Amino acid sequence: MSVVRTKNHRRTPPTPVRPTPGKRDPRVILDDQRVETTVQWVRTSWTKQSRGGAQATRRNAAPIAFPLPDEPPPYVHEIVMRERDDFQPHSSIQTGLPSNGDDAGVLLREADGLLRVQLTVTPFGMPRRWRRPPAVRLAIGQWVRWQINYRFSSSWGGDWTYRQDTLNLLNGPAAQADLFLGEPTRYVNELGTLR
C-alpha cells in the first residue's frame, strides 16, 4: 500500500487551540481542548466492468477498514481503491480535521460533551437521498462506521461510474492501530440499490 503525506508531515505535538474571544472555534470541545478525532475514509470506485463476475468478486472483497497509521490526532487517513488499479489500496494522511467541502464529507460539532457526526453527501451522485439518518453522537472513545454508495453519470455520455464510501471515525485518539478492524460503537448504513 502506498502512503502519501500531506500538509504537516512531521510528528510534532499539536499546539492548543485558543478560541478568539466572542467567537467559538469549531475544533474546541470543552475547556479549550482540541477535538481529537481519528478519521479513516475508505473509498472504492468502479465501472460496469466490475458489476458482475470475477471483477465484482474482487471489488466486493475490498476492505472497508485498514490499520491506522502511527499519527497524533486529529488526522484523516484516506484509502482509495479504484477498478483501474485492480482495487489496490492507495493511502494518504492529512493532519487536521476532516473537510466538509469535498464532494462528500463530514460535519463535526460538539454538543453536551458529545461529538455530533453527520455525513454530507455529494450533490452529484445518485440515488438522491431525500430522507437521511440523523447525526450520530459519540462520547470519547466511541466510534462510528458510516457507509454510503453512489452512481455517477458521465458528462461526456459515457458509462456510469460507482463509488462506495466508508467513514470510520473515532472520538479521541486510537489506542490500537487495528481499532477500525473491529465492531463499531455505532453503524449507519446508507447503502442504496445502484442500477
Side-chain angles (χ1 to χ4, degrees):
M1 171 171 40
S2 63
V3 175
V4 177
R5 295 184 188 278
T6 59
K7 289 190 180 177
N8 182 5
H9 62 277
R10 285 180 269 128
R11 293 175 191 250
T12 56
T15 56
V17 176
R18 301 283 178 210
T20 307
K23 185 175 180 185
R24 180 165 167 77
D25 187 334
R27 295 176 293 177
V28 175
I29 279 192
L30 298 170
D31 303 324
D32 293 339
Q33 294 179 0
R34 255 178 110 162
V35 173
E36 290 193 337
T37 58
T38 303
V39 179
Q40 185 178 80
W41 277 108
V42 180
R43 301 181 195 266
T44 306
S45 59
W46 65 95
T47 65
K48 69 178 181 179
Q49 281 77 25
S50 294
R51 292 211 46 173
Q55 279 294 90
T57 302
R58 188 154 178 76
R59 172 182 54 88
N60 289 331
I64 57 171
F66 287 83
L68 291 165
D70 184 21
E71 293 286 327
Y75 67 88
V76 178
H77 181 215
E78 183 174 25
I79 299 96
V80 177
M81 295 174 284
R82 297 179 186 96
E83 177 186 79
R84 69 174 178 244
D85 298 330
D86 204 26
F87 300 106
Q88 292 300 310
H90 299 279
S91 175
S92 65
I93 301 166
Q94 174 188 328
T95 58
L97 294 173
S99 168
N100 64 354
D102 297 333
D103 73 341
V106 62
L107 297 172
L108 302 176
R109 296 223 181 351
E110 184 275 335
D112 302 323
L114 300 174
L115 183 64
R116 181 181 182 274
V117 180
Q118 178 67 56
L119 189 80
T120 60
V121 298
T122 178
F124 308 109
M126 298 299 258
R128 296 277 186 241
R129 289 171 168 88
W130 303 109
R131 291 188 173 180
R132 303 264 336 278
V136 172
R137 288 173 173 73
L138 302 173
I140 297 286
Q142 294 182 329
W143 68 281
V144 62
R145 173 170 291 146
W146 199 312
Q147 290 190 284
I148 192 165
N149 57 359
Y150 305 99
R151 180 186 78 235
F152 300 95
S153 64
S154 170
S155 57
W156 304 283
D159 291 333
W160 294 100
T161 57
Y162 305 88
R163 189 176 83 201
Q164 178 177 307
D165 293 350
T166 301
L167 170 68
N168 297 308
L169 187 143
L170 168 69
N171 184 8
Q176 63 228 36
D178 63 350
L179 174 75
F180 291 146
L181 302 179
E183 290 298 314
T185 309
R186 303 284 306 273
Y187 176 69
V188 181
N189 182 347
E190 283 194 88
L191 297 175
T193 302
L194 303 178
R195 305 182 291 152

